[in-house]
Amino acid sequence: MSKKFLFGFVVCLLIVVIAVLWLLSAVGVAGMEWFTLGWAATIAAGVLGLAFIGRGLFGKSAGPLKKLWIFFGAGFLVVAVITLACEIALPGEIVMPIIAVVLAVALLVGFVAVGGKKWDTGDNQKAGYKTYRQRKAEEEARRQEEENKED
């Protein structure tokens, strides 16, 4: 099973579960009165956040794309925290620190996912790199050497 398929499956399964829970609460099944649209948004954002972070950590994409998936996941988790705060009426002074912790952890996970390597290093930052002038001088020296051998 490919990881892209698994990601899509998780998202589709999430939609089905939320729709069923919402239907059960709308029909009036005992014990489902707590489920509202706010809880649906909280659960959806939380699961999507974890799915995006999982795709960023375990996917086979390049460094910048890994970080992008992780930051999308962190964004969804921030939305989950905000909707959770609205649903359970958290005190306002605790919401922003929770969001800061979520974003800080996302930054750390993004750094660990790419192994701390720069993804945009140029050739001039690699060992043994020669500038254009150095390469031309060496080429000219080889050409002179070849001409001297022929004489």
Side-chain angles (χ1 to χ4, degrees), residues 23-37:
L23 177 66
L24 290 174
S25 71
V27 170
V29 173
M32 290 301 298
E33 300 83 21
W34 63 272
F35 194 81
T36 62
L37 190 56

Side-chain angles (χ1 to χ4, degrees), residues 4 10-11 18 33 51 61 64 75 105 129 132 149 151:
K4 286 183 182 178
V10 166
V11 171
I18 288 176
E33 300 83 21
S61 50
V105 169
Y129 175 77
Y132 174 78
K149 284 184 183 178
D151 290 339

Side-chain angles (χ1 to χ4, degrees), residues 120-131:
D120 62 347
T121 56
D123 288 338
N124 60 346
Q125 295 175 344
K126 295 179 181 173
Y129 175 77
K130 297 178 182 174
T131 65

Side-chain angles (χ1 to χ4, degrees), residues 22 34 41 50 55 62 65 70-71 91 99 109-110 122 137:
W22 197 10
W34 63 272
L50 294 176
R55 187 169 183 180
L65 196 53
I70 290 169
F71 288 136
I99 290 172
V109 169

Side-chain angles (χ1 to χ4, degrees), residues 71-83:
F71 288 136
F72 277 154
F76 276 115
L77 289 179
V78 167
V79 170
V81 167
I82 292 170
T83 56

